[in-house]
Amino acid sequence: MTRPVVVGYTATDAGADALAVAARVARATRAPLEIVIVLPDESRSVITPPDAGYGRLVREQAEQWLAQARTLVGDGTTAGGSVRYAESFAEGLVIAARQLDAGFLVVGAANGGLRGRHFLGSVASELLHSADVPVILAPEGSRHNDPAAGLTRVTAAVGTRPGADVLLEEAVALAVAASVPLRLLSVETIDLPAGLDTGAIRIAGARHAQQVLDAARAELPEGLSSDAVIARGEGIEDAIDQLAWDPAEIALVGSSRLAQPRRLFLGSTAAKMLRVLPVPLIVVPRTRPKEGERA
């Protein structure tokens, strides 16, 4: 896996979280790391003319932040960086990801989230509707984890909706590149009105979850260490919360069926997972571009 890991960096705790996760993924997969700082493109402002002196100071400060970020990456990872201008932080990251042919795009949680949990801000939300590469969401507090830990396991939430094949391919590629086991996850939940007899529904749900896992395991390459688990609970959050998670593992989910081809869209199941998931989450587009094509 040689395509670079691109991280959207800001000199904040969220930026440090994103950088820590990006560095771990880059180190584990032996991929280059590209640190990107996006500044507002004031040249398009029609309200106030740009001030050259102020713009130069902002640029110099951004360059200092970029230099400081490189020192946080640690040994064993090739880290480049650039300061870019765009109308929004998310737009600048999407453009950077395309130009750099990124394998992943990493961002941190918004301020106000609990440690070890995800809290989507405006940048992450915009990326999840516009990016055409897998986006990694770093939970609050990732900066405190051991940077040398790398990755210990890849968990893929598999299903049968369109895009499931792309999700499985991404999960396999990541697990192989990082030389770690792959865990296939199918979620079996009962989220129905109280008092309803759910016996038959539970049996059917368990059978379906097992069929999903069996179909996914049949597609795995020989030699890949893998496991399969069914998460059970009264709802998505309950099921995910009861699973055991390694501090240094990473999870993958596919985009909603509402997503446009080669675009992301966080579905309701993934959104519920985010509320309790204690590890970084990769959201994968439903389809991937053809050879040599990037939309």
Side-chain angles (χ1 to χ4, degrees):
M1 184 174 293
T2 57
R3 293 169 64 187
V5 177
V6 174
V7 54
Y9 182 74
T10 56
T12 62
D13 289 346
D17 289 337
L19 182 62
V21 170
R24 282 174 46 203
V25 173
R27 186 176 298 111
T29 59
R30 295 170 292 281
L33 175 64
E34 290 289 339
I35 307 168
V36 175
I37 294 178
V38 180
L39 299 178
D41 186 358
E42 296 181 346
S43 64
R44 300 184 182 182
S45 175
V46 296
I47 301 176
T48 58
D51 183 281
Y54 175 75
R56 184 171 58 254
L57 288 175
V58 172
R59 175 80 187 203
E60 290 174 354
Q61 179 63 76
E63 294 286 0
Q64 291 178 18
W65 288 333
L66 193 59
Q68 293 170 0
R70 288 196 184 99
T71 66
L72 299 176
V73 172
D75 299 330
T77 303
T78 302
S82 60
V83 177
R84 295 166 177 261
Y85 293 88
E87 291 189 3
S88 73
F89 196 87
E91 179 191 60
L93 291 181
V94 170
I95 294 173
R98 292 172 182 168
Q99 293 177 343
L100 295 168
D101 192 29
F104 296 107
L105 183 54
V106 189
V107 291
N111 293 331
L114 298 175
R115 181 168 177 173
R117 291 293 185 265
H118 296 267
F119 186 70
L120 293 184
S122 58
V123 172
S125 297
E126 187 175 343
L127 287 175
L128 291 177
H129 288 81
S130 61
D132 54 358
V133 299
V135 170
I136 303 180
L137 304 173
E140 161 64 31
S142 297
R143 62 193 180 278
H144 300 299
N145 296 338
D146 182 4
L151 298 180
T152 56
R153 183 171 62 188
V154 172
T155 292
V158 295
T160 58
R161 291 179 174 177
D165 55 337
V166 177
L167 170 66
L168 187 59
E169 289 172 9
E170 287 283 354
V172 168
L174 179 57
V176 170
S179 300
V180 297
L182 172 64
R183 179 171 66 165
L184 300 176
L185 168 64
S186 184
V187 181
E188 173 200 334
T189 66
I190 298 297
D191 191 6
L192 297 172
L196 190 64
D197 183 5
T198 61
I201 299 175
R202 287 182 184 274
I203 294 174
R207 185 182 300 116
H208 175 71
Q210 189 61 56
Q211 290 172 346
V212 168
L213 288 180
D214 292 342
R217 295 195 77 171
E219 300 296 323
L220 298 183
E222 292 186 16
L224 176 62
S225 176
S226 64
D227 189 17
V229 61
I230 298 176
R232 295 182 170 88
E234 297 302 317
I236 299 295
E237 295 98 327
D238 182 45
I240 296 301
D241 198 36
Q242 293 190 46
L243 278 180
W245 296 93
D246 291 342
E249 81 173 287
I250 198 165
L252 292 89
V253 296
S255 294
S256 165
R257 64 184 182 276
L258 300 177
Q260 296 298 315
R262 303 193 304 277
R263 288 293 185 274
L264 300 177
F265 190 90
L266 194 67
S268 60
T269 297
K272 291 177 181 178
M273 287 180 60
L274 269 179
R275 296 172 188 167
V276 295
L277 193 67
V279 300
L281 178 68
I282 304 177
V283 185
V284 179
R286 282 200 305 119
T287 60
R288 55 163 46 98
K290 298 177 182 178
E291 189 69 25
E293 175 191 9
R294 289 298 290 273

